[in-house]
Amino acid sequence: MTNVKAPCTWAQRKDRLFVTIELKDTKNLNVTFAEDKISFSVEGVRAGAESAKYETELELFGKINPEESYYRATDQKVEIVGMKKESGPHWDKLLTQPMKLTKAWLTTNWSLYVEEEDEEEEGNKGVEGFGGYGNKSNLLTTQVDSDDEGGVDDRPGDIADIMSDN
């Protein structure tokens, strides 16, 4: 099977990345985090297309903390939050690859975008609810149906402290 990239959007804050996989009716989702990459495979429906299997490896421009990163799937999309290893300036780009190699499947999420110098003023504009942001009960879930906001935590450990500084 060929490695088909899922359509994604992204934005960032000083301490985290937001990646949205733009697929509906997702099944068989597998997301893994490493310091320098986020990998996922998923079956889903792309706008205007049939259901297909997608595999994507995001080789990150900087480093993240895999233990603090999480994701949430709904019927409409998959939301991934990668917690940066070090809070600080915005990264110049998400991936190590040149943009000309990713522009067919990766774009900026303008609804979450905030200029770095405006981040203090804008705060969490647009990120309420993203990947469970602000709602600790939905963090680290593997599948959340649109009519069932509970979700199931299948990762070990106490997640209550992940967002404690927000």
Side-chain angles (χ1 to χ4, degrees):
M1 169 177 265
T2 59
N3 187 6
V4 179
K5 303 283 188 194
C8 296
T9 60
W10 83 287
Q12 67 179 314
R13 297 295 184 275
K14 291 178 181 177
D15 63 341
R16 68 194 72 218
L17 307 170
F18 302 103
V19 178
T20 305
I21 305 170
E22 302 287 346
L23 296 173
K24 294 182 180 187
D25 303 323
T26 58
K27 296 185 276 190
N28 301 320
L29 174 63
N30 182 31
V31 178
T32 57
F33 298 97
E35 273 193 354
D36 59 349
K37 70 177 89 171
I38 300 171
S39 304
F40 59 87
S41 62
V42 62
E43 293 176 41
V45 178
R46 182 181 192 152
E50 299 280 323
S51 181
K53 182 171 182 173
Y54 298 89
E55 295 181 12
T56 304
E57 188 170 277
L58 305 173
E59 295 178 19
L60 302 171
F61 184 73
K63 298 207 181 297
I64 62 169
N65 185 334
E67 292 79 28
E68 292 184 8
S69 299
Y70 54 93
Y71 64 96
R72 177 178 77 150
T74 70
D75 288 342
Q76 302 298 311
K77 60 189 165 193
V78 177
E79 298 172 329
I80 299 171
V81 178
M83 300 302 293
K84 292 181 179 179
K85 190 157 185 118
E86 294 181 23
S87 184
H90 283 195
W91 296 355
D92 294 338
K93 56 186 183 172
L94 176 65
L95 305 177
T96 57
Q97 296 99 322
M99 287 176 43
K100 67 181 179 181
L101 299 179
T102 63
K103 66 181 178 181
W105 58 272
L106 180 66
T107 59
T108 300
N109 185 333
W110 294 109
S111 65
L112 295 177
Y113 181 84
V114 173
E115 289 283 347
E116 185 172 5
E117 55 272 0
D118 297 333
E119 189 170 331
E120 296 300 319
E121 271 180 44
E122 300 280 339
N124 296 324
K125 172 190 153 207
V127 300
E128 297 83 10
F130 185 95
Y133 187 86
N135 179 358
K136 294 177 185 169
S137 67
N138 281 340
L139 294 179
L140 302 171
T141 61
T142 57
Q143 191 73 27
V144 176
D145 296 326
S146 60
D147 58 344
D148 175 16
E149 292 300 319
V152 177
D153 178 5
D154 71 344
R155 290 183 50 182
D158 183 5
I159 61 170
D161 296 326
I162 291 175
M163 301 298 290
S164 62
D165 58 349
N166 295 319

